[in-house]
Amino acid sequence: MSLEKRGLIIVYTGDGKGKTTAALGLALRAVGAGLKVRMLQFIKGEWKPAELKAAKWLAPAFSMEQLGIGFVTYKPKRPYEAHLQAAQAAWAQAKVEIASGHQDLLILDEINNAFQLNLLSVREVVGALQGKPEALHVVLTGRGAPPEIIELADLVTEMKAIKHPYEKGIRAQYGIDF
Ligand code: ATP
Ligand code: MG
């Protein structure tokens, strides 16, 4: 087996649950392997998921930051322009992380949602990923990954919803859903 370091572009998309969870699982594994991991969240930010607390126990190998400001289309509390600004700022930071060479794994959580909501240019992100440092792994999560991102990726997994407790009226569980 070759031990050559090859940075992968990994996509977790689809309408089923598990995209952010998969990225966090990967982060745990990567930290165990001695890699430095950074996670930037593009949409979340209104409430604090439990992983934000757990992340502190994995510092400084793992760090995460919420740069979004919450729901964009579902009962939004802020105007579209505010989300646009937040997504652009998140992307600006992502570019800094890509260029810095300080991280081994960069997770862009829910960036696909940002594409879908026209908060971010797919072309610009594809261009930056094409020019990324060779060894850097990048994970992009979120529903509706655009074809250009799927084309560029080395690994694409679609989470397919078969059943979700939400359909039975079971509300989101702390520690499981957030
Ligand atoms: P998770 O963070 O649990 O891995 P995810 O990243 O795949 O989920 P998102 O689209 O980011 O999913 O949505 C986050 C929230 O939406 C979670 O609370 C999750 O349980 C819920 N959710 C995910 N899939 C579904 C679904 N098919 N029906 C209803 N709610 C869902
Ligand atoms: Mg998610």
Side-chain angles (χ1 to χ4, degrees), residues 21-42:
T21 319
L24 287 166
L26 196 59
L28 185 66
R29 172 176 291 168
V31 167
L35 303 186
K36 279 209 73 180
V37 184
R38 179 129 176 90
M39 181 165 182
L40 303 178
Q41 297 197 304
F42 275 72

Side-chain angles (χ1 to χ4, degrees), residues 118-138:
N118 284 317
L119 297 172
L120 206 54
S121 150
V122 180
R123 258 179 74 185
E124 199 189 323
V125 173
V126 166
L129 291 178
Q130 279 167 338
K132 76 171 179 60
E134 184 64 38
L136 176 70
H137 302 289
V138 181

